[in-house]
Amino acid sequence: MLERVQHKAERKARQVGLGIAGWILGAVGAGFLTAAAWMTLVAMADAQFAAIVIGCAYVGAGALVLLRAHVIGAQSYEDAHPVPAPHPQPTPDLTGAFMNGFSQGTRVATRNAHPH
C-alpha cells in the first residue's frame, strides 16, 4: 500500500517537474527565438505574417508540453506494476485422483512392511 502511494507521489512530482522545466525552458528560448524569427520574417514578408508564424509556433510548442504532462498523469500505478496472474489450481478431479493413488500406495507399502 505504501509503495503504491509512494509511486503516485513520485509520478506527480515528475509530472510537475517536467511541466515547470518545460515552461522555464520555453520562456528563455522563446525570448531569443522570437527576436530572431521576427527579424527574419519581417525581412522576408511583413509584420503580420511574422506574428502569425510566431504565434502558431508558440501554440504548437505549448500544446506538446501540456500533452506530455497529461500523458504522465494518465498512466496509472497498475500500468507500471501489473499484478501477476494467480497460478492455476489443479482441478478437484486430478487432486482427488492423486490423493486416492497416494493412499492406495501407502496401504500397499504398509501391508508389505507388516505381513500378517
Side-chain angles (χ1 to χ4, degrees), residues 12-113:
K12 186 53 78 172
R14 194 174 311 130
Q15 179 184 6
V16 169
L18 280 174
I20 291 172
W23 284 108
I24 291 171
L25 291 173
V28 170
F32 287 105
L33 287 176
T34 299
W38 187 268
M39 289 183 262
T40 302
L41 292 171
V42 166
M44 291 172 40
D46 62 351
Q48 184 179 11
F49 177 75
I52 290 172
V53 170
I54 292 172
C56 287
Y58 280 131
V59 169
L64 289 176
V65 169
L66 292 175
L67 178 65
R68 177 65 182 141
H70 176 71
V71 167
I72 289 174
Q75 294 174 340
S76 68
Y77 179 84
E78 287 78 17
D79 293 340
H81 298 86
V83 177
H87 296 294
Q89 298 295 324
T91 62
D93 295 334
L94 181 61
T95 305
F98 174 77
M99 292 307 293
N100 187 25
F102 185 77
S103 64
Q104 291 294 329
T106 304
R107 265 191 248 137
V108 169
T110 305
R111 208 176 315 147
N112 290 339

